[in-house]
Amino acid sequence: DAGVIQSPRHEVTEMGQEVTLRCKPISGHNSLFWYRQTMMRGLELLIYFNNNVPIDDSGMPEDRFSAKMPNASFSTLKIQPSEPRDSAVYFCASSSQQGVEKLFFGSGTQLSVL
Amino acid sequence: GNSVTQMEGPVTLSEEAFLTINCTYTATGYPSLFWYVQYPGEGLQLLLKATKADDKGSNKGFEATYRKETTSFHLEKGSVQVSDSAVYFCALSALSSSGGSNYKLTFGKGTLLTVNP
């Protein structure tokens, strides 16, 4: 299995631009998570999908952030407009069950907003 | 609320040294405890887990014991290798008071381990 695939690996953009991060979970996994990692705050859960339905988006920082999962094999995290404080590593993770007993992470997207 | 506190790094050891990374937690409910490892440029990988008190999780020579009385889950390895250099995260998940799914992982800040030859 190819594992969780995220793209792009690195994204550099200017403040005010729209940024879209992409994730392909492991085939057969029905739970998908978006995490953000920063030095100051560590790893934070942004949103959790189960069977393509958003279950918990309480971690999404503000309305500039949105996430979709149109089908079982694809999810996006969009930031519009982006701000320098959004600079972080964004991870997508998936699991085959509703809990987190076996969570598989992608390699992350390093986002830099100038 | 739930929280995880792990020792600040960085930790620098020589090859074959003994490793301990301390982790303590605060949780409501009955948490499961995890150690994840992040190698440079990669995502996190589950290293080991324990789901109830006194359980010992082990993998690749690493082990950690779920100590409910001290609310701890310290990571240990008897003889580290250069290839163990990575960031180690302690984490917990706990069922909500309403008994809902434990889908949320609460992570510690991570401890950078560097092993020198």
Side-chain angles (χ1 to χ4, degrees), chain A residues 16-19 63-66 78-83 86:
Chain A
Q17 297 298 305
E18 178 180 295
V19 175
D63 292 345
R64 297 185 296 107
F65 285 69
S66 62
K78 184 177 294 186
I79 308 172
Q80 166 64 17
S82 58
E83 296 183 3
D86 301 331

Side-chain angles (χ1 to χ4, degrees), chain B residues 59-70:
Chain B
N59 186 24
K60 300 181 181 179
F62 291 89
E63 58 183 34
T65 301
Y66 188 141
R67 299 288 188 201
K68 188 176 180 181
E69 64 275 14
T70 54

Side-chain angles (χ1 to χ4, degrees), chain B:
Chain B
N2 298 333
S3 67
V4 175
T5 303
Q6 60 182 106
M7 63 187 287
E8 300 245 346
V11 174
T12 303
L13 296 173
S14 297
E15 207 164 23
E16 299 184 2
F18 184 85
L19 168 71
T20 300
I21 301 178
N22 290 338
C23 171
T24 57
Y25 66 89
T26 302
T28 54
Y30 304 93
S32 294
L33 302 174
F34 307 84
W35 278 99
Y36 276 82
V37 58
Q38 183 180 25
Y39 298 104
E42 299 183 12
L44 281 72
Q45 303 175 24
L46 179 64
L47 179 61
L48 55 84
K49 68 178 184 182
T51 57
K52 63 183 187 295
D54 299 324
D55 268 2
K56 178 185 283 187
S58 61
N59 186 24
K60 300 181 181 179
F62 291 89
E63 58 183 34
T65 301
Y66 188 141
R67 299 288 188 201
K68 188 176 180 181
E69 64 275 14
T70 54
T71 61
S72 65
F73 193 54
H74 305 320
L75 182 68
E76 296 182 335
K77 186 174 185 182
S79 176
V80 294
Q81 306 299 313
V82 173
S83 58
D84 294 327
S85 298
V87 180
Y88 292 82
F89 293 88
C90 186
L92 70 82
S93 69
L95 290 170
S96 68
S97 56
S98 62
S101 169
N102 59 333
Y103 60 83
K104 277 190 177 180
L105 273 174
T106 300
F107 286 92
K109 290 289 183 67
T111 301
L112 173 63
L113 170 66
T114 301
V115 180
N116 295 318

Side-chain angles (χ1 to χ4, degrees), chain A residues 6 11 19 23 28 34 58 61 64 69 71 76 79 87 113-114:
Chain A
Q6 291 186 245
E11 176 79 36
V19 175
C23 174
W34 282 99
S58 60
R64 297 185 296 107
M69 192 164 186
N71 56 62
T76 58
I79 308 172
S87 298
V113 183
L114 307 177

Side-chain angles (χ1 to χ4, degrees), chain A residues 10-36:
Chain A
H10 303 277
E11 176 79 36
V12 180
T13 190
E14 293 187 346
M15 183 174 63
Q17 297 298 305
E18 178 180 295
V19 175
T20 299
L21 311 181
R22 297 173 175 79
C23 174
K24 177 178 167 58
I26 292 173
S27 177
H29 283 190
N30 62 351
S31 291
L32 185 138
F33 307 78
W34 282 99
Y35 279 88
R36 179 172 66 177

Side-chain angles (χ1 to χ4, degrees), chain A residues 63-106:
Chain A
D63 292 345
R64 297 185 296 107
F65 285 69
S66 62
K68 294 182 180 180
M69 192 164 186
N71 56 62
S73 59
F74 184 65
S75 177
T76 58
L77 178 67
K78 184 177 294 186
I79 308 172
Q80 166 64 17
S82 58
E83 296 183 3
R85 60 193 168 117
D86 301 331
S87 298
V89 181
Y90 291 82
F91 287 104
C92 176
S94 70
S95 69
S96 61
Q97 55 202 68
Q98 198 166 3
V100 295
E101 297 297 314
K102 277 192 177 183
L103 198 58
F104 294 83
F105 282 78

